[in-house]
Amino acid sequence: MPQKPNGPNEPEEWVDSDDRAIRTGLRWSLVALIGLGVVGVGAFFALRKTAGPAKVQVTPLAAPQTVQTAQKLTLPKVPFSEVGEAAGLRFRHFTGAAGEKLLPETMGAGAAFFDADGDGDADLLLVNGNRWPWDAQGAASPGSALYRNDTPPGGAIRFTDISAGSGLEAPLYGMGAAVGDYDNDGRPDVLITAVGGARLFHNEGDGHFKEVTTTAGVGGKPDDWSTAATWFDLDNDGDLDLVVAHYVKWSRAIDAEVGYKIDGSTRAYGPPMNFQGTFPSLYRNEGGGRFTDISKEGGVQVTNPSTGVPAAKSLGVVATDFNGDGLTDLIVANDTVQNFVFENQRDGRFKEVGALTGIAFDSYGNTRGAMGIDAARFTDDGKLGIAIGNFANEMTALYVGGSTAGLFTDESISWGVGPASRLPLKFGVLFLDWDLDGRLDLLSVNGHLEEEITKVQASQKYRQPAQLFWNAGADGFVPVGPEQAGAALFTPIVGRGCAQADLDGDGDDDLLFTQAGGAPLLLRNDRPAGGRWVRLKLVGTRSNRDALGATVQLKAGGKTQWRTVTANRGYLSSSALPITFGLGEATAVESIEIIWPGGQRQSVPAAQAQPGAVTEIRQAP
């Protein structure tokens, strides 16, 4: 949320010796410019006395050439339909707002698609807020909601509310959901981040969960504001470790003291600049359902070098091997401070290298208001891309790896995403193959923070439509409109989280968007019949059972695609684990190779992956 602070109350971390040096330099520069101006004026009049009439020279200018590449492309038509109410979703996000304009109220919450009951399809968890403890007169929170997927084969998407008695409905001021099978028992567990610390729920089977936060040791402190989280295998020992990101140091009293006002007089939801930063939490899985907090020795506690205070203001984290060394690294999206890249050092520690990789700042060395994040190999030659949704009037970032491993450049403009994405306030971002042509497209879910934003910024709206960019290969990303993707996808909402899953088993991924203080959008992908696809469900035996961090390389039709198994991505959300390859015009798979966490390579017979079917592949001994 990179709005400038309102008034002179900037924190000390924004005022340092660099500012004084800049002001001194500006004063001497002005003196020099005035001197040059005096000399220039004198020379002008002196020359005017001796020079004759000026000779007019006309230089013909060619008309500007407009690049027509994108306009010549024929975009696919794959519409989405909104089916939430018809599918049985009766959820509405609860903010607990009572007029005080407290910052957590506007940040929304995420969702998770995962197989909660073990029947093979994707169920849905919607995270909810809560009434503030000091608001005795406020309405009670309905709690988070768990919906069982009861979609019949070939039928309409249908959900049944099984929240009551599930164990996930306990009231808390929830933010995000991170899904991972941390004990390798074949049942995915859920961590819910929240204002007031995180909560871990162990999957007991058949859609029932038991809270195990205290015994596991992953709750954090009571005054924590945890946001994004992800499960990953830190040390390739076969079980899942955990990183939990935090936003800012927050309390009701701190929020009141900051006292942000949108127009100088009206109380509003403020930016995070006047809130102190935080540290992420890193937990190592010790087995037996217990974790050890290794945040300090693990190298994820970054401080501001000028003030020594915690530097992170994190809303997104994604686990990926950014430098190709076979170890899972962490990329953290920070709001108004630099993004972090934690490079895995092989000994249970990380080293922060964001500035060295090119991911910490924008192309001009500035920080941005980073929200959600996703990572994928989206180019025809397998380059890794890091997409980050940024604040209003800032482009979506698209950091693309180059020929040197571990080095990235923000290529948002050259790939066609930048100008079109500048205006909206972006939260959730996802790579997905919208039309199953074999290339990953890019989605962002948008919405502003402040209901009254139009009063001070006429170009901004509180409710904003999503954006979808079609991956046209060498021609870059092309914005998609309602005529291609349907009007429902672009419904203006107070968008926050997003998640994807094939809910009806037809091969294409359906979408869910969450809203702050509103109902979610459930969007069914209505791709015309006939498209070819392959879906793989990986099961680790030597690696973690979820195969988180595994990369699959598939060749079909002379083209190569890459997919990495990642659940926790976007903004505060988790998507279904099985990975999908669109085959486009290809009629058969030529080869499949899996690189499991730890580096084991496994070739899979192409005939084993039948187009139009889900194939389970177990890790070789």
Side-chain angles (χ1 to χ4, degrees):
M1 294 175 290
Q3 298 165 307
K4 295 296 182 183
N6 190 46
N9 299 319
E10 294 183 314
E12 292 181 0
E13 60 187 292
W14 285 72
V15 182
D16 55 21
S17 58
D18 290 340
D19 295 323
R20 291 190 290 272
I22 292 170
R23 289 195 292 269
T24 301
L26 285 172
R27 284 197 293 269
W28 283 111
S29 297
L30 287 172
V31 171
L33 286 171
I34 292 170
L36 288 172
V38 171
V39 172
V41 170
F44 171 79
F45 282 104
L47 289 171
R48 224 178 141 182
K49 291 178 182 178
T50 58
K55 182 179 180 180
V56 178
Q57 181 176 350
V58 178
T59 302
L61 296 176
Q65 298 296 312
T66 302
V67 178
Q68 298 292 333
T69 304
Q71 285 78 1
K72 291 181 180 179
L73 294 172
T74 300
L75 274 66
K77 291 188 177 181
V78 182
F80 287 90
S81 299
E82 209 292 313
V83 296
E85 185 174 351
L89 298 186
R90 301 290 184 268
F91 178 88
R92 187 175 184 86
H93 179 249
F94 183 77
T95 68
E100 292 187 74
K101 296 278 187 175
L102 301 175
L103 187 55
E105 297 166 356
T106 193
M107 301 308 294
F113 281 127
F114 70 112
D115 188 2
D117 55 3
D119 65 353
D121 55 22
D123 306 301
L124 172 61
L125 172 66
L126 291 162
V127 179
N128 215 346
N130 197 5
R131 178 179 63 195
W132 295 114
W134 51 83
D135 183 14
Q137 304 302 316
S141 167
S144 296
L146 181 63
Y147 287 89
R148 185 182 63 222
N149 188 343
D150 287 331
T151 304
I157 296 173
R158 188 73 59 187
F159 282 102
T160 300
D161 189 342
I162 59 170
S163 306
S166 69
L168 296 176
E169 78 278 19
L172 73 164
Y173 206 102
M175 298 296 297
V179 177
D181 181 4
Y182 69 83
D183 56 356
N184 288 329
D185 66 353
R187 298 189 295 264
D189 310 298
V190 179
L191 181 97
I192 298 181
T193 60
V195 178
R199 309 270 283 274
L200 179 60
F201 297 88
H202 181 263
N203 191 331
E204 302 288 299
D206 197 28
H208 293 90
F209 294 79
K210 176 183 177 182
E211 186 178 351
V212 293
T213 309
T214 301
T215 56
V218 296
K221 300 187 296 294
D223 60 350
D224 282 345
W225 179 358
S226 54
T227 51
T230 193
W231 297 95
F232 72 110
D233 193 348
L234 162 67
D235 42 15
N236 286 333
D237 64 350
D239 55 27
L240 291 177
D241 308 294
L242 174 68
V243 63
V244 180
H246 301 92
Y247 191 29
V248 293
K249 182 178 180 181
W250 181 88
S251 69
R252 182 190 188 193
I254 293 173
D255 208 323
E257 185 177 351
V258 169
Y260 182 77
K261 296 178 175 59
I262 193 171
D263 56 5
S265 60
T266 304
R267 174 81 166 129
Y269 296 112
M273 277 91 85
N274 286 338
F275 293 87
Q276 182 177 298
T278 59
F279 289 137
S281 296
L282 180 63
Y283 300 98
R284 184 179 60 223
N285 192 335
E286 305 292 1
R290 288 176 169 79
F291 294 77
T292 299
D293 187 339
I294 59 169
S295 306
K296 187 174 182 179
E297 59 268 37
V300 298
Q301 295 187 343
V302 180
T303 59
N304 184 300
S306 300
T307 63
V309 301
K313 298 180 180 181
S314 308
L315 290 172
V317 58
V318 68
T320 187
D321 180 4
F322 83 94
N323 55 7
D325 65 355
L327 297 168
T328 302
D329 312 294
L330 300 170
I331 303 177
V332 179
N334 283 318
D335 190 358
T336 71
V337 297
Q338 71 186 68
N339 301 317
F340 296 151
V341 176
F342 291 114
E343 183 181 41
N344 196 321
Q345 300 296 291
R346 295 183 178 272
D347 58 359
R349 297 181 301 113
F350 289 94
K351 179 181 179 182
E352 204 290 301
V353 295
L356 297 177
T357 64
I359 297 174
F361 305 99
D362 70 6
S363 300
Y364 302 98
N366 299 316
T367 60
R368 290 183 282 200
M371 310 294 182
I373 187 171
D374 197 6
R377 298 190 178 276
F378 73 98
T379 68
D380 289 344
D381 57 356
K383 288 187 175 68
L384 179 65
I386 311 295
I388 299 178
N390 290 315
F391 200 77
N393 300 312
E394 296 177 339
M395 295 181 292
T396 294
L398 182 59
Y399 298 100
V400 182
S403 56
T404 302
L407 296 182
F408 291 76
T409 304
D410 189 351
E411 299 182 12
S412 181
I413 293 177
S414 60
W415 271 91
V417 174
S421 67
R422 182 184 296 274
L423 188 62
L425 200 168
K426 286 77 62 181
F427 272 88
V429 290
L430 279 180
F431 285 106
L432 75 160
D433 189 353
W434 156 58
D435 57 337
L436 296 181
D437 67 348
R439 292 191 177 111
L440 290 173
D441 312 302
L442 183 60
L443 169 79
S444 76
V445 178
N446 313 319
H448 215 282
L449 302 175
E450 177 54 54
E451 293 180 71
E452 306 296 327
I453 188 62
T454 305
K455 291 183 178 179
V456 293
Q457 295 185 43
S459 64
Q460 290 295 322
K461 306 294 183 184
Y462 183 47
R463 291 174 175 81
Q464 300 180 357
Q467 290 185 301
L468 178 62
F469 296 89
W470 179 58
N471 188 341
D475 291 315
F477 284 103
V478 181
V480 174
E483 61 275 17
Q484 290 91 29
L489 184 73
F490 304 100
T491 303
I493 61 172
V494 190
R496 296 295 185 260
C498 52
Q500 65 185 71
D502 182 4
L503 300 174
D504 48 8
D506 62 355
D508 49 48
D509 277 322
D510 309 297
L511 297 170
L512 183 124
F513 300 165
T514 68
Q515 288 200 75
L521 292 187
L522 181 63
L523 298 158
R524 184 189 63 216
N525 189 321
D526 292 331
R527 177 186 54 85
R532 300 179 181 88
W533 51 275
V534 167
R535 177 164 295 132
L536 305 179
K537 179 183 178 182
L538 305 189
V539 179
T541 54
R542 296 165 58 183
S543 70
N544 67 88
R545 185 180 176 89
D546 283 343
L548 292 179
T551 296
V552 182
Q553 178 180 290
L554 180 145
K555 293 182 179 179
K559 298 180 180 179
T560 303
Q561 302 179 50
W562 294 262
R563 300 286 184 272
T564 299
V565 181
T566 310
N568 314 134
R569 55 203 180 97
Y571 175 74
L572 308 180
S573 298
S574 295
S575 291
L577 278 183
I579 53 176
T580 302
F581 294 89
L583 300 183
E585 299 300 320
T587 57
V589 174
E590 297 160 12
S591 67
I592 299 174
E593 184 177 49
I594 303 171
I595 305 174
W596 296 90
Q600 179 193 5
R601 291 179 177 267
Q602 179 179 346
S603 294
V604 178
Q608 187 173 336
Q610 294 296 322
V614 181
T615 302
E616 181 176 292
I617 299 176
R618 298 183 67 85
Q619 186 176 11

